[in-house]
Amino acid sequence: RMRLKIGVNLTSQDDDFDVFPDVSLSAPIIEGLLSGFIGAEGSLQKNTLRSLSDYNPWIETRLRIRNSEYTRLYGGVDGTISGVSYRAEASYKIVDNLALYQLDRDDDIPEFDVLYDDANIITLQGSATATVLQDLSVKGTIAQRFYSLENQEKAWHLPSFSLNLGADYSLLKGQASFGADFYMENGLPYQDAEGVAQNLNSLLDLSLNGRYDLSDNFSVWLKVNNLLNNKRERFVQYPTIGTNVLVGVGAAF
């Protein structure tokens, strides 16, 4: 009925050893419908040029690399009601060396410097999944983050609000599928040429996808991305691609 985990996470960098908690407790509140959980976890997050450029492809290649350390306290509820699986969580995260991104306007081709700052992050998030019909499933996640930084005015180019909704429909006994996804994200903060904090446009993205299995080994797929033709800049001066279509073939052996 109750589950308790007690552990630690040991990390090392530059001969500096740290101990982070790995503790959680979960217990039913309403049997079969609602459970509660609390916990604490922490670790060392290794930052590399690849991991930083995966998030922001426009960073400078000569930059200062620092690892991030974090400790996260969290709690919430989860369960299943009328076939809907849900989870609601609130967390408080302490981060040393949170990576932020600031445009270097002195370069001929503007690129981003990586800044590091210590931060406290409060996150409220929820998710739900449900099978509406036998072959139709829907899902959704929503998150709101509140940043408190030690030195920087804003969490440059990091999202505060995000919403993801999706639906998948399977047909022909699983031989084909069709899906739709909707993404929403707030306009990210950045500094303009005068050093004043501004916000980019928000993201509104509707995409469709389909798949058809030609055989047990081969399939074809289609993706139609950004149907709303949202031209927001994910990173300042670097607009995203408008409506685009991808077609491909998959193989599995």
Side-chain angles (χ1 to χ4, degrees):
R1 292 177 55 82
M2 299 180 61
R3 180 179 179 182
L4 173 65
K5 180 175 71 171
I6 300 177
V8 295
N9 190 9
L10 307 177
T11 68
S12 172
Q13 64 169 334
D14 298 329
D15 297 326
D16 180 22
F17 292 87
D18 292 293
V19 179
F20 295 94
D22 186 8
V23 180
S24 65
L25 171 65
S26 62
I29 299 175
I30 302 176
E31 191 67 39
L33 296 177
L34 178 67
S35 298
F37 59 88
I38 56 174
E41 62 179 7
S43 187
L44 173 69
Q45 178 180 310
K46 183 175 177 60
N47 293 321
T48 64
L49 178 61
R50 171 171 290 184
S51 65
L52 295 173
S53 61
D54 282 344
Y55 179 81
N56 183 348
W58 322 115
I59 61 173
E60 296 180 348
T61 55
R62 293 185 178 182
L63 49 81
R64 185 176 46 173
I65 301 292
R66 291 182 180 178
N67 294 327
S68 303
E69 296 180 357
Y70 72 89
T71 300
R72 190 174 78 98
L73 309 176
Y74 62 91
V77 294
D78 59 11
T80 302
I81 297 179
S82 300
V84 179
S85 299
Y86 65 90
R87 179 182 177 94
E89 179 183 296
S91 66
Y92 178 73
K93 188 175 184 180
I94 303 171
V95 186
D96 293 338
N97 294 326
L98 176 67
L100 312 174
Y101 303 86
Q102 193 173 63
L103 186 67
D104 185 354
R105 301 176 184 273
D106 295 331
D107 295 339
D108 294 334
I109 300 177
E111 293 179 308
F112 287 84
D113 290 328
V114 178
L115 307 179
Y116 299 94
D117 200 358
D118 296 340
N120 297 326
I121 307 172
I122 296 175
T123 303
L124 305 176
Q125 59 185 352
S127 63
T129 60
T131 301
V132 181
L133 301 173
Q134 181 178 358
D135 298 315
L136 175 63
S137 62
V138 295
K139 59 183 178 181
T141 62
I142 186 171
Q144 177 67 58
R145 305 168 189 86
F146 304 91
Y147 296 91
S148 176
L149 302 170
E150 184 172 318
N151 299 307
Q152 298 297 318
E153 181 182 358
K154 299 281 187 178
W156 310 120
H157 289 95
L158 297 185
S160 297
F161 174 81
S162 59
L163 171 69
N164 297 336
L165 301 174
D168 290 292
Y169 182 65
S170 178
L171 60 160
L172 301 177
K173 297 182 179 181
Q175 186 177 359
S177 65
F178 175 79
D181 294 285
F182 176 75
Y183 304 98
M184 182 177 179
E185 192 175 79
N186 67 291
L188 306 186
Y190 75 100
Q191 280 186 327
D192 62 18
E194 284 72 38
V196 178
Q198 305 286 354
N199 287 317
L200 299 168
N201 293 332
S202 59
L203 168 67
L204 293 173
D205 183 359
L206 176 63
S207 300
L208 304 177
N209 64 82
R211 174 193 56 81
Y212 180 76
D213 293 336
L214 301 173
S215 66
D216 293 338
N217 303 106
F218 294 96
S219 63
V220 293
W221 53 265
L222 169 70
K223 292 183 179 181
V224 183
N225 299 317
N226 196 2
L227 278 172
L228 302 179
N229 200 30
N230 185 270
K231 295 295 184 65
R232 68 93 72 124
E233 293 182 359
R234 180 60 176 81
F235 299 96
V236 62
Q237 296 190 14
Y238 284 92
T240 54
I241 300 174
T243 302
N244 60 95
V245 179
L246 300 176
V247 180
V249 177
F253 299 96

